[in-house]
């Protein structure tokens, strides 16, 4: 075994779910299938240096986030790495691992960084594994494994390793779909969806009161959970067909219904909680009114927080941007917006 340092570096994007993963079982497996757009500008860049050292039984991790130590992130990653060593990546055993990571978006923007962060690190780990095997072919199996490893770190991260759009979770009408890892569906979608913009309106930059992980667990006692899981399966069937046919209005309806369902599930959990703010609702109302008045196909979604993702095809960029600037930005925290769009997936940087 070589004792020389091995190095890997990847940039990986965030993603925004349209049909949402909300509820899990077993070892990070989803209770229902989900589908997402891969973004392009909200990315995490991660570099890993690994030295193999037989003297250490446990992994020795040093972790820097934006050049500084971060104990909370480090402990989550350490737990995940120790689990990976046992079950999936034994080559990491007894190694000294330096991780250095940074985000393209501000830390306090309220944007979830676990999808881009966990996928970037997983890609680095799979790259190191390939180096031990002297494999240089970053083929479908490489991304499948990176998706699998990402899922164990954070469920939604497994969709970030693919360009354009990904599905995670078994669905009987989606070939190769699996609870274990995501699959890329870019060849099954109409070109209009490849042009979609996602302008993220930052309503609040504060840390969430209830984490997604806690939210998933609350689904276990939610009386609506069985109906919700069936609904997500049915919506996946309808959405996959709309994505294939370029049916933007069906896409928009399902996407908005999903965002409302996600937040309704939070409000009827025990204990109930609410992550939308007044400004989130004001923005949602204005988007609906603007669409009804103008016919411009702009839609919203939310992840597990108050920020609004405004989704629209490239063709409508200029009028939508004008509308956002005049009507929606005044509701944003310090007028903040992150202008993103559908992207081409992760990039190897080292
Ligand atoms: C609402 O993937 O952050 O964004 O698996 O516990 O890390 P963990 O949860 P996470 O949950 C994401 C929830 C969501 C919907 C989605 O991205 O599908």
């Amino acid at each position: 075994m070589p004792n020389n340092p091995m190095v890997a570096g990847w940039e990986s994007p965030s993603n925004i779910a349209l049909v949402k993963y909300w509820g899990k079982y077993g070892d990070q497996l989803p209770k229902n299938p989900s589908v997402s757009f891969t973004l392009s500008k909200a990315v995490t860049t991660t570099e890993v240096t690994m030295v193999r050292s037989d003297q250490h039984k446990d992994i020795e991790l040093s972790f820097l986030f934006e050049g500084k130590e971060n104990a909370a992130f480090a402990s989550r990653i350490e737990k995940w790495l120790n689990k990976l060593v046992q079950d999936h990546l034994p080559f990491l055993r007894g190694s000294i691992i330096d991780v250095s990571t940074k985000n393209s978006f501000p830390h306090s923007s309220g944007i979830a960084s676990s999808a881009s962060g966990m996928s970037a690190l997983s890609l680095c780990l799979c790259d190191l594994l390939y180096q031990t095997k002297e494999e240089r072919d970053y083929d479908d199996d490489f991304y499948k494994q990176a998706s699998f490893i990402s899922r164990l770190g954070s469920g939604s991260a497994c969709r970030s390793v693919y360009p354009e759009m990904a599905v995670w979770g078994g669905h009987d009408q989606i070939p190769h779909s699996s609870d274990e890892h995501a699959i890329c569906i870019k060849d099954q979608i109409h070109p209009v969806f490849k042009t979609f913009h996602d302008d993220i309106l930052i309503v609040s930059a504060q840390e969430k009161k209830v984490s997604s992980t806690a939210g998933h667990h609350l689904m276990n006692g939610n009386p609506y959970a069985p109906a919700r899981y069936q609904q997500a399966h049915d919506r996946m069937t309808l959405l996959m067909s709309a994505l294939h046919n370029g049916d933007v209005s069906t896409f928009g309806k399902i996407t908005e219904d999903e965002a409302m369902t996600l937040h309704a599930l939070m409000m009827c959990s025990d204990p109930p909680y609410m992550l939308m703010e007044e400004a989130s609702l004001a923005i949602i109302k204005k988007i609906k009114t603007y669409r009804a008045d103008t016919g411009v196909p702009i839609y919203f979604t939310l992840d597990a927080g108050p920020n609004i993702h405004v989704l629209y095809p490239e063709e409508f960029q200029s009028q939508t941007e004008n509308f956002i600037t005049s009507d929606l930005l005044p509701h944003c925290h310090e007028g903040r917006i992150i202008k993103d769009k559908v992207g081409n997936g992760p990039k190897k940087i080292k």
Side-chain angles (χ1 to χ4, degrees), residues 247-261:
D247 179 351
V248 172
S249 70
T250 301
F251 155 90
K253 170 155 175 46
I254 296 170
T255 297
E256 292 191 347
D257 289 353
E258 272 292 299
M260 301 306 273
T261 303

Side-chain angles (χ1 to χ4, degrees), residues 40-103:
S40 64
K41 301 218 179 96
V43 296
T44 298
T45 306
T46 298
E47 286 184 27
V48 178
T49 307
M50 177 185 128
V51 180
R52 309 182 83 163
S53 158
D54 296 336
Q55 300 141 13
H56 299 84
K57 256 186 151 182
D58 288 331
I59 287 177
E60 224 178 83
L61 173 71
S62 114
F63 179 81
L64 291 183
F65 176 67
E66 315 215 312
K68 295 195 195 100
E69 287 183 5
N70 182 315
F73 285 175
S75 108
R76 181 171 176 184
I77 285 167
E78 201 159 7
K79 265 193 215 132
W80 173 59
L81 286 176
N82 282 320
K83 207 162 106 184
L84 291 177
V85 169
Q86 259 171 22
D87 301 333
H88 306 291
L89 298 176
F91 82 100
L92 293 175
R93 193 181 300 281
S95 54
I96 301 168
I97 301 179
D98 286 348
V99 178
S100 168
T101 187
K102 62 177 194 286
N103 290 340

Side-chain angles (χ1 to χ4, degrees), residues 17 21-22 24 28 76 154-156 159 212-213 216 262 303-304:
Y21 146 57
W22 200 241
K24 57 176 153 181
Q28 288 277 102
R76 181 171 176 184
S154 175
S156 55
R159 297 184 308 243
S212 288
T213 304
H216 289 293
L262 171 69
D303 60 16

Side-chain angles (χ1 to χ4, degrees), residues 12-243:
S12 190
S14 188
N15 69 76
I16 179 70
L18 308 167
V19 171
K20 311 288 184 182
Y21 146 57
W22 200 241
K24 57 176 153 181
Y25 70 98
D27 197 359
Q28 288 277 102
L29 297 162
K31 288 271 200 174
N32 65 261
S34 56
V35 58
S36 56
F37 278 137
T38 300
L39 300 179
S40 64
K41 301 218 179 96
V43 296
T44 298
T45 306
T46 298
E47 286 184 27
V48 178
T49 307
M50 177 185 128
V51 180
R52 309 182 83 163
S53 158
D54 296 336
Q55 300 141 13
H56 299 84
K57 256 186 151 182
D58 288 331
I59 287 177
E60 224 178 83
L61 173 71
S62 114
F63 179 81
L64 291 183
F65 176 67
E66 315 215 312
K68 295 195 195 100
E69 287 183 5
N70 182 315
F73 285 175
S75 108
R76 181 171 176 184
I77 285 167
E78 201 159 7
K79 265 193 215 132
W80 173 59
L81 286 176
N82 282 320
K83 207 162 106 184
L84 291 177
V85 169
Q86 259 171 22
D87 301 333
H88 306 291
L89 298 176
F91 82 100
L92 293 175
R93 193 181 300 281
S95 54
I96 301 168
I97 301 179
D98 286 348
V99 178
S100 168
T101 187
K102 62 177 194 286
N103 290 340
S104 63
F105 44 94
H107 180 44
S108 59
S109 63
I111 296 296
S113 56
S114 68
S116 53
M118 286 297 187
S119 57
L121 184 48
S122 299
L123 286 155
C124 291
L125 297 176
C126 291
D127 197 327
L128 294 173
L129 173 65
Y130 263 43
Q131 291 178 34
T132 63
K133 295 182 183 168
E134 299 192 357
E135 291 251 11
R136 286 291 179 271
D137 188 11
Y138 296 93
D139 54 8
D140 290 353
D141 282 344
F142 173 82
Y143 288 98
K144 187 162 144 184
Q145 185 167 24
S147 177
F148 176 94
I149 299 291
S150 302
R151 183 202 98 223
L152 294 168
S154 175
S156 55
C158 75
R159 297 184 308 243
S160 273
V161 306
Y162 295 114
E164 298 178 8
M165 292 197 81
V167 163
W168 171 39
H171 186 290
D172 55 11
Q173 287 172 48
I174 306 175
H176 311 296
S177 60
S178 164
D179 283 358
E180 304 268 338
H181 59 84
I183 57 169
C184 183
I185 57 156
K186 80 180 178 60
D187 296 335
Q188 294 164 55
I189 64 173
H190 187 277
V192 69
F193 294 111
K194 299 173 191 253
T195 75
F196 257 68
H197 284 243
D198 176 7
D199 289 350
I200 310 167
L201 304 180
I202 310 300
V203 164
S204 164
Q206 278 178 3
E207 200 160 317
K208 290 186 280 194
K209 289 167 281 197
V210 181
S211 70
S212 288
T213 304
H216 289 293
H217 288 306
L218 286 174
M219 281 299 281
N220 293 332
N222 191 313
Y224 300 105
R228 156 63 192 160
Y229 300 139
Q230 183 57 48
Q231 175 190 58
H233 274 86
D234 297 344
R235 284 180 174 164
M236 283 294 291
T237 309
L238 297 173
L239 183 55
M240 289 299 289
S241 146
L243 290 171

